[in-house]
């Protein structure tokens, strides 16, 4: 038993060291691909992606994503406990299901993990969230997020999304286009920023108003 315990501890320590080194590597090296990209590609979706540093992505898209996905991004340490509690209460009361994931959590999930709702994957997501919050800057977290998130079937990252949907670079996105891209993030294979239905169009207008608040209150200053 002592031998088994010793080997178990060695294995656990090795796994921890591996994940720390992996996260540290992505602090300076763009992730070459993500598990979701590979799964989708194997399923026939293709893979369109062009990495761009944050300075070559429209500040409007930064504001829009923070306004839509995580307005407290610059203020939390990876987890927005108030949002998580609110989502849990709504789900318990039988209201429309919603999540409480921050941009940091979504980056950890997309960069390192497989798409799944199991507790094992959730635990791994929490661990990688702590790692990137400790090893990366907020600017780097958002830069990675905007370069790996899915924006249509087989389309990943802001540059590929801007060219796919609007025929322009991510740097040239307007405020309205940025808001439309941010709105479809929860369901990018079902919602379209170029053919928005009533909900997407209405929600994009709300996000445009929130973008002004993000800029006014400095809610994206940690990414500048």
């Amino acid at each position: 038993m002592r031998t088994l315990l010793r080997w178990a501890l060695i294995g656990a320590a090795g796994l921890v060291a591996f994940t720390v080194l992996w996260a540290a590597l992505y602090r300076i090296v763009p992730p070459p691909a993500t598990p979701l990209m590979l799964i989708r590609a194997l399923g026939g979706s293709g893979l369109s992606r062009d990495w761009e540093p944050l300075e070559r992505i429209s500040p409007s898209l930064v504001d829009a994503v923070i306004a839509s996905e995580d307005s407290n991004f610059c203020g939390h340490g990876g987890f927005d406990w108030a949002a998580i509690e609110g989502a849990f209460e709504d789900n318990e009361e039988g209201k429309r299901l919603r999540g409480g994931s921050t941009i940091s959590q979504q980056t950890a999930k997309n960069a390192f993990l497989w798409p799944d709702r199991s507790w094992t994957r959730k635990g791994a997501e929490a661990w990688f969230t702590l790692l990137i919050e400790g090893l990366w800057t907020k600017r780097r977290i958002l830069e990675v997020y905007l370069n790996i998130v899915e924006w249509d079937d087989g389309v990943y990252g802001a540059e590929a999304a801007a060219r796919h949907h609007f025929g322009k670079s991510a740097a040239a996105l307007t405020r309205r286009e940025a808001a439309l891209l941010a709105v479809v993030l929860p369901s990018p294979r079902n919602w379209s920023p170029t053919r928005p239905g009533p909900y997407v169009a209405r929600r994009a207008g709300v996000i445009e108003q929130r973008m002004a608040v993000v800029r006014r209150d400095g809610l994206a200053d940690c990414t500048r």
Side-chain angles (χ1 to χ4, degrees):
M1 287 297 294
R2 267 184 279 186
T3 300
L4 287 174
L5 180 59
R6 183 167 63 251
W7 280 109
L9 291 173
I10 291 172
L15 181 59
V16 168
F18 172 75
T19 58
V20 171
L21 290 173
W22 191 8
L25 179 66
Y26 281 1
R27 186 183 191 276
I28 54 176
V29 175
T34 69
L36 179 64
M37 291 178 190
L38 298 177
I39 290 169
R40 293 272 200 259
L42 289 172
S45 294
L47 203 167
S48 176
R49 176 199 178 202
D50 296 295
W51 181 278
E52 289 289 353
L54 197 59
E55 59 266 23
R56 291 212 292 265
I57 296 175
S58 171
S60 291
L61 186 60
V62 173
D63 294 343
V65 168
I66 288 178
S68 177
E69 298 286 293
D70 185 5
S71 61
N72 195 33
F73 175 67
C74 288
H76 62 62
F79 307 93
D80 189 335
W81 298 110
I84 292 171
E85 182 179 358
F88 179 79
E89 289 176 354
D90 284 355
N91 297 342
E92 284 287 293
E93 292 171 3
K95 297 180 181 178
R96 184 175 64 87
L97 292 178
R98 65 185 181 94
S101 293
T102 63
I103 287 174
S104 300
Q105 289 174 271
Q106 293 178 57
T107 303
K109 176 188 69 177
N110 289 330
F112 301 101
L113 301 170
W114 62 98
D116 188 13
R117 292 183 176 273
S118 69
W119 286 109
T120 300
R121 208 273 295 154
K122 282 290 186 182
E125 176 188 305
W127 170 245
F128 277 107
T129 299
L130 291 172
L131 284 181
I132 65 175
E133 280 283 344
L135 295 171
W136 302 1
T137 63
K138 287 285 190 177
R139 179 181 173 85
R140 178 60 174 176
I141 292 172
L142 191 70
E143 180 177 63
V144 171
Y145 178 73
L146 289 178
N147 274 285
I148 65 175
V149 71
E150 185 179 32
W151 253 301
D152 200 351
D153 192 27
V155 178
Y156 304 92
E159 182 68 16
R163 295 195 179 279
H164 174 74
H165 290 297
F166 298 111
K168 60 175 63 176
S169 71
L173 289 168
T174 66
R175 286 175 54 83
R176 180 65 177 178
E177 290 164 347
L180 286 164
L181 283 173
V183 169
V184 303
L185 278 175
S187 189
R189 302 193 343 174
N190 296 314
W191 296 341
S192 170
T194 52
R195 298 183 303 278
Y199 171 78
V200 170
R202 184 172 64 253
R203 178 70 177 166
V206 173
I207 295 306
E208 283 191 86
Q209 295 175 4
R210 291 185 179 178
M211 288 164 64
V213 176
V214 168
R215 185 57 63 94
R216 183 196 70 198
D217 293 349
L219 300 182
D221 283 357
C222 65
T223 70
R224 306 303 187 200

